[in-house]
Amino acid sequence: MEKIKNKKIILASNSPRRRELLRGLEIDFEVKAHPIDETVPADIPADYVAAYLSKLKAESYAEQLAEDEILITSDTVVIQEGHILGKPHSDQEAFDMIKSLSGTTHKVMTAVTIVDKGKRTTLEDETLVTFRFLSEEEIWHYVKNYGPFDKAGGYGIQEWIGFVGVSRIEGSYYTVMGFPVHLIYEELKKW
């Protein structure tokens, strides 16, 4: 994709998956990421959390943007029966999350916010993911060998657990990876 109106693209994410996917669009960009407080008010429904956090991340950069810069932020949540499964903090928590997903269908919501000095838009996408029943041995193998601690819901669909466990998806595979590149590409063409 040619340079967008002589603007520089900034990806505000430390996610190696998001960097890989944005590179796949053949867009030149740089990464600038800093930590923010991702506390979500208790009254926000689970389906709106990804958009809330994506916008919050964008707001934390708003004052720093130059006239020639476009910022992209994103957030992904895994929702099971109306509850968000965050990033696990221990092997046991990762195991418990994946076990709860075993043999069920859950929702993955990803939101992306694109901002420059005069314009802001937030895109949202939803994908349903179905896992076959997984044995405890399979779940522990994944937890011990694939470090699921930086992944919403404790799993990466692009890793071993996705290869052996995901039996069906309805929606975009890339939304589950955390970056709906088809929506981002279409939106950036407008800019």
Side-chain angles (χ1 to χ4, degrees):
M1 176 184 270
E2 61 185 71
K3 202 163 189 179
I4 301 166
K5 295 183 183 177
N6 297 316
K7 297 226 178 186
K8 180 170 44 171
I9 305 293
I10 297 169
L11 176 63
S13 175
N14 283 319
S15 165
R17 294 163 297 282
R18 289 188 179 118
R19 286 183 290 218
E20 172 190 350
L21 292 172
L22 190 54
R23 261 189 236 105
L25 292 179
E26 299 178 4
I27 294 173
D28 291 329
F29 65 95
E30 67 179 72
V31 174
K32 288 185 183 175
H34 62 255
I36 66 160
D37 178 7
E38 295 188 25
T39 303
V40 177
D43 61 342
I44 295 182
D47 283 358
Y48 298 104
V49 170
Y52 174 84
L53 289 172
S54 180
K55 291 173 188 176
L56 186 68
K57 291 173 184 178
E59 289 168 9
S60 76
Y61 285 90
E63 298 300 317
Q64 302 169 25
L65 277 181
E67 290 293 329
D68 67 339
E69 294 177 329
I70 294 175
L71 176 73
I72 301 174
T73 62
S74 185
D75 199 82
T76 301
V77 295
V78 172
I79 304 169
Q80 183 184 38
E81 298 176 0
H83 301 287
I84 292 177
L85 300 181
K87 296 174 183 175
H89 297 97
S90 69
D91 286 358
Q92 187 63 54
E93 189 176 8
F95 175 87
D96 292 343
M97 281 184 187
I98 297 168
K99 186 170 181 162
S100 75
L101 298 173
S102 175
T104 68
T105 299
H106 62 276
K107 183 184 331 184
V108 178
M109 299 276 308
T110 295
V112 175
T113 300
I114 303 173
V115 180
D116 69 8
K117 278 291 196 186
K119 186 176 176 182
R120 175 180 305 203
T121 189
T122 298
L123 314 165
E124 296 177 83
D125 203 35
E126 171 184 318
T127 297
L128 297 177
V129 179
T130 302
F131 270 96
R132 68 168 180 79
F133 283 99
L134 298 163
S135 71
E136 290 191 1
E137 291 78 16
E138 289 169 325
I139 298 169
W140 278 121
H141 172 78
Y142 178 71
V143 170
K144 294 294 186 185
N145 292 289
Y146 289 89
F149 305 110
D150 67 336
K151 298 169 185 79
Y155 77 93
I157 194 168
Q158 73 282 3
E159 296 174 334
W160 184 84
I161 199 79
F163 300 161
V164 304
V166 173
S167 61
R168 179 183 172 96
I169 65 169
E170 296 175 51
S172 170
Y173 175 83
Y174 300 107
T175 293
V176 183
M177 281 183 70
F179 215 51
V181 286
H182 60 292
L183 295 180
I184 296 164
Y185 179 78
E186 286 301 316
E187 184 62 29
L188 287 176
K189 285 195 323 187
K190 299 173 189 174
W191 291 53

